[in-house]
Each structure stands twice: as structure tokens, then as C-alpha cells.
Amino acid sequence: MSARILVVDDVPANAKLLEARLSAEYFDVLTASNGTEALAICERAECDIILLDVMMPDIDGFEVCRRLKSNPATHFIPVVMVTALDSPSDRVRGLEAGAGRFPDQAGVRRRADRTGAFADAAEDDDR
């Protein structure tokens, strides 16, 4: 059984790119276009890892992550923040919200090209 990855991004091109690359590596990929949809998916589906955009119109990624980490049913799911934000204060906010990783979008795209790239991110979050 392959890992189920939830990709959350309000920019359809970004979500489709990650979905295509991850699906090509035989991951089971779910997508959400906003924070509210992501929270609903996490409540009803088991996700092994979440790739979460930060800048979204309804609920930003920081708040989505905080809600996931405060919910006993979803607190264990590793969250990787995927964003163009790169300031130290934004990274601290992401880590304080409970994200295990905070790479930039270009870095995530490079990692999506390698087999097993997100499996090792999940393992790092468990440490």
C-alpha cells in the first residue's frame, strides 16, 4: 500500500504539479484548495503526510497546522509547510504551529522528483 499524501494549495497549477509528480511515484494523492477543505479531508481520511501551502485565502496554513496539531485525531500527521515565505520569523511561526518541515516551494518540487522523498520527511517528523 502506498502512502497517502494530502496536497493543500489554493493555486491549482501548484497542486496539479505536485499531484502529478507524486502520483508518478505511486503515492496516493488527495488535494485540497483551501484550509477548510483540508481540515475536512483530514477528519474523514487517513493521511500519511500533508504538504501545506501557507498563504491561502480562507484559513492560512499556520492556522490549519495549529488546528491539526490540537486535534487528537490528526495531531500525529506530519505537516510539511510548502511556501514562498522564507523569512526566519515565518519559519519560526511554522515550527511553532507544529510543522515538521518548512522548505521553500522550489525545494519541494526538487524533492518530489526523487523516489521516497516524502517518506523520509515523515520519518524525520517522528524523531
Side-chain angles (χ1 to χ4, degrees):
M1 183 171 169
S2 66
R4 179 174 287 167
I5 300 173
L6 174 60
V7 174
V8 186
D9 201 314
D10 63 315
V11 178
N14 291 346
K16 287 192 181 296
L17 174 67
L18 284 172
E19 180 180 19
R21 289 188 176 180
L22 293 167
S23 293
E25 296 296 333
Y26 304 103
F27 289 106
D28 182 15
V29 182
L30 301 172
T31 60
S33 61
N34 59 58
T36 302
E37 189 179 350
L39 291 168
I41 289 170
C42 289
E43 281 293 320
R44 67 176 186 266
E46 291 185 21
C47 300
D48 296 304
I49 189 166
I50 301 168
L51 303 181
L52 179 62
D53 183 24
V54 172
M55 297 180 292
M56 295 185 291
D58 66 336
I59 304 172
D60 71 28
F62 297 122
E63 182 59 25
V64 171
C65 189
R66 272 191 286 281
R67 291 183 190 185
L68 290 168
K69 296 304 179 179
S70 68
N71 181 340
T74 59
H75 78 276
F76 61 90
I77 304 171
V79 176
V80 177
M81 295 280 200
V82 181
T83 184
L85 300 175
D86 64 353
S87 75
S89 63
D90 289 324
R91 290 182 182 277
V92 168
R93 282 184 67 199
L95 296 172
E96 287 176 345
R101 293 234 177 157
F102 201 98
D104 62 19
Q105 286 178 335
V108 168
R109 287 188 191 110
R110 284 190 304 272
R111 291 193 76 190
D113 285 334
R114 297 193 303 237
T115 304
F118 296 101
D120 68 353
E123 290 170 11
D124 288 348
D125 287 343
D126 292 336
R127 292 182 196 150

